[in-house]
Amino acid sequence: MTNEELKKQFDLNDPYQIAKYIKAVEKSTPVKAYVRGYLRANDLAGYDYYGDPSACIILAEAADIDALLEAKKDAITSIRVECDRRNSAIPLLDLTEVDARIEPGSFIREGAHIHKNAVVMMGAVINIGAVVGEGTMIDMNAVVGARGTIGKNCHIGAGAVVAGVLEPPSKQPVIIEDDVVVGANAAILEGVRIGKGAVVAAGSVVTEDVPAGVVVAGTPAKIVKDKDEKTEEKTELLDDLRG
């Protein structure tokens, strides 16, 4: 059974099911090998390689490259191997199927849900089971943890953390309702729910639920005022950045 077929047997929104999927899935250590030597096409039969066999790039599992090196050690004159993960269970999301703006350098794991016209900026990390609603922006270096849920037309500021929960599985992830603005470097801790239209000031640490339509600030965050016209102006979202 392929990993893709296996994935269909699990609910990747349920922490217990996610854990079972990670345990069951075949782990992968993919590498890119730059190889030079006295090799011919039949020496590389079964390998995914690009270029002439005597000077080529091979994409394969680390164990398969090790086997090739051992079998052809007398024929290979030089090799360089690049590896960016080890025994990885969950690959990155296939972005070709996502109807959103995803900037380079972001990391979105398979099993995350990125909705239409969302924006994910450079350095952002979105884990398995997380949901980013339609028209929501995840700014630079922000983190949305496993199963963290963000509604429509929100802005999650640069460096902010929306805590997800995979372990311990009994904990609830963060839920952010529609039209919420979270300032840069704010942290929303596990189990917190942010009400519709609320504003979280930059650098705040939110440990309790936030009602709709208020502004919170501080560590721990407290309500400082109701959202007013001045706040609306300061937290306006730009449609031109979406879609």
Side-chain angles (χ1 to χ4, degrees):
M1 181 183 298
T2 66
N3 285 354
E4 191 64 29
E5 293 169 333
L6 182 67
K7 182 175 66 175
K8 295 177 181 178
Q9 299 182 14
F10 297 91
D11 177 5
L12 298 187
N13 296 308
D14 179 283
Y16 294 95
Q17 291 286 302
I18 292 173
K20 288 182 182 296
Y21 170 60
I22 291 173
K23 182 177 180 179
V25 73
E26 183 178 356
K27 310 305 184 290
S28 177
T29 305
V31 299
K32 181 189 294 185
Y34 302 83
V35 178
R36 289 180 182 173
Y38 303 100
L39 297 173
R40 295 173 294 181
N42 63 330
D43 295 324
L44 300 179
Y47 286 89
D48 183 17
Y49 72 93
Y50 298 86
D52 189 273
S54 63
C56 62
I57 298 172
I58 306 174
L59 306 180
E61 285 292 312
D64 294 331
I65 292 295
D66 289 344
L68 176 66
L69 291 178
E70 179 61 28
K72 301 297 179 181
K73 59 185 177 182
D74 294 333
I76 294 174
T77 57
S78 67
I79 184 167
R80 173 184 171 185
V81 178
E82 294 181 355
C83 177
D84 66 357
R85 72 205 73 184
R86 180 74 179 173
N87 293 326
S88 180
I90 304 171
L92 298 181
L93 184 67
D94 178 5
L95 299 180
T96 62
E97 303 297 323
V98 177
D99 188 11
R101 177 159 70 91
I102 312 296
E103 294 296 346
S106 57
F107 295 87
I108 307 173
R109 294 183 91 185
E110 185 179 76
H113 306 278
I114 312 298
H115 289 267
K116 184 176 181 179
N117 292 335
V119 179
V120 181
M121 297 297 288
M122 298 79 72
V125 177
I126 302 175
N127 207 351
I128 186 171
V131 177
V132 177
E134 182 176 342
T136 284
M137 178 182 286
I138 309 299
D139 214 337
M140 294 181 293
N141 297 315
V143 175
V144 182
R147 300 166 57 224
T149 301
I150 303 171
K152 298 178 181 179
N153 302 314
C154 296
H155 181 98
I156 308 301
V161 175
V162 175
V165 178
L166 182 53
E167 186 178 60
S170 58
K171 295 284 286 185
Q172 291 298 311
V174 169
I175 296 176
I176 296 177
E177 297 182 8
D178 298 345
D179 305 315
V180 169
V181 173
V182 176
N185 297 312
I188 319 297
L189 301 190
E190 292 91 338
V192 167
R193 188 180 192 100
I194 309 292
K196 178 179 171 65
V199 175
V200 177
S204 299
V205 177
V206 185
T207 61
E208 298 178 344
D209 289 356
V210 175
V214 302
V215 179
V216 299
T219 305
K222 302 293 183 184
I223 297 174
V224 295
K225 65 177 182 178
D226 290 331
K227 190 175 178 181
D228 54 21
E229 185 174 339
K230 185 177 181 179
T231 305
E232 289 275 8
E233 292 176 358
K234 287 185 175 181
T235 58
E236 178 186 5
L237 303 185
L238 300 177
D239 290 339
D240 287 347
L241 295 177
R242 295 154 173 82

